[in-house]
Amino acid sequence: MSVKRIVVVSDCTDVAFVEMRSSIFRAAEAYAPDARIQIEPLVPVQPFSVLNAGFMVRLVAEISTPDTMIMFIMNSIQERTERIIGRTEKHGFVFEGTNTGAAGWLVEDFGVAECYEVHDPGFVPFGGKFVHGPAVGQFAAGRPMAEIGAPFPVDRIRRTLPGEGTIVHVDNFGNAKFPLRQQSFEYGDKLLVEVAGETFEAVYWKRMMELQDGAWVVYPGSSFDLHEFGEVRGKGLLPHGVGAGTPISVKRA
């Protein structure tokens, strides 16, 4: 299956994204001068958060067509891990990035049809520009995975998965996304939500914007089976310094 669209998921949100993007285009053109690929706008990740990167990669796969390639660039761990490229069993999404755990949610839900370790040139100060970009560009231009790297065992793909009651993302409205599978509520239930050392009085509701300004609401969210917690037409959790990895507790009042 060919690749038409490339989505870059990264916490490199300044000129570094332009460098990675240009590296992809340059490698593709060098491998196949007539190659035509499309790189989507950057999907920004919470700095140094493998959990948030994993959520973003999984979200991109949820909403993309099968001819999409997902490149994830962020590495906050001390160890210099493998660089991997592979394809999922479900839908055949191609993924490429550092083996930090950011691919875990994707491969857990979509399976792995094949995976390779990108040939390692040794340490470079910016792998996204000098290693990952060229690998992605060459593959998008038609180079087989088997020429880009050596076979990599699926069981060695790191998996960083969200636990129950752990925030995986806070959007620009201050709404937090998190798994809430072990409890069930009825619309209208009064709730107590504990997060970042504070307790909020909230209500379980279907459409949060129906409620009064400033009300705190827990509701089924827009991202697969996750729930969300936010403030109606307010700043939500933005002033509270909350992000991916923060525990959140929801119970009936």
Side-chain angles (χ1 to χ4, degrees):
M1 183 178 294
S2 61
V3 169
K4 294 182 179 178
R5 302 167 61 247
I6 297 171
V7 178
V8 180
V9 177
S10 180
D11 54 0
C12 300
T13 60
D14 58 0
V15 69
F17 170 61
V18 178
E19 292 182 280
M20 291 188 291
R21 191 171 185 270
S22 299
S23 175
I24 294 171
F25 281 130
R26 176 179 289 184
E29 184 176 349
Y31 186 81
D34 295 331
R36 294 292 180 267
I37 59 176
Q38 176 181 337
I39 302 177
E40 299 295 323
L42 174 70
V43 178
V45 170
Q46 178 181 314
F48 312 120
S49 176
V50 173
L51 182 61
N52 187 236
F55 164 72
M56 292 299 190
V57 170
R58 175 65 177 81
L59 183 63
V60 168
E62 184 77 12
I63 60 178
S64 295
T65 54
D67 56 5
T68 299
M69 184 175 186
I70 306 170
M71 171 182 171
F72 46 93
I73 301 299
M74 58 84 55
N75 189 357
S76 59
I77 64 178
Q78 288 185 317
E79 181 182 353
R80 188 172 75 83
T81 62
E82 306 88 359
R83 302 176 176 100
I84 57 175
I85 182 170
R87 189 190 308 273
T88 64
E89 289 181 332
K90 182 180 178 181
H91 298 319
F93 289 111
V94 177
F95 57 90
E96 196 282 342
T98 307
N99 187 26
T100 60
W105 202 341
L106 174 72
V107 302
E108 195 74 14
D109 288 358
F110 287 74
V112 181
E114 56 180 331
C115 188
Y116 298 84
E117 180 180 355
V118 177
H119 296 310
D120 187 5
F123 172 75
V124 293
F126 186 8
K129 174 181 178 180
F130 294 112
V131 182
H132 296 283
V136 168
Q138 289 173 18
F139 179 82
R143 188 178 186 187
M145 280 189 197
E147 293 184 6
I148 295 174
F152 188 76
V154 173
D155 60 2
R156 288 182 57 195
I157 300 176
R158 296 173 186 244
R159 290 162 168 79
T160 299
L161 301 172
E164 177 80 5
T166 300
I167 293 174
V168 300
H169 181 64
V170 177
D171 66 21
N172 61 298
F173 293 103
N175 301 323
K177 298 176 184 285
F178 61 99
L180 182 65
R181 306 184 181 101
Q182 298 176 5
Q183 297 189 58
S184 60
F185 302 110
E186 300 291 335
Y187 293 128
D189 283 353
K190 303 298 182 182
L191 307 175
L192 293 177
V193 178
E194 296 181 2
V195 60
E198 298 189 50
T199 300
F200 300 85
E201 295 182 357
V203 63
Y204 191 73
W205 204 249
K206 184 176 183 180
R207 182 177 181 271
M208 69 177 297
M209 302 309 286
E210 293 177 346
L211 303 181
Q212 296 297 315
D213 292 5
W216 289 90
V217 190
V218 176
Y219 55 98
S222 61
S223 304
F224 10 108
D225 62 346
L226 299 180
H227 273 72
E228 299 188 23
F229 172 60
E231 181 185 15
V232 178
R233 287 176 288 274
K235 295 182 179 180
L237 291 175
L238 293 179
H240 300 274
V242 171
T246 302
I248 183 169
S249 170
V250 181
K251 60 185 178 181
R252 285 187 175 83

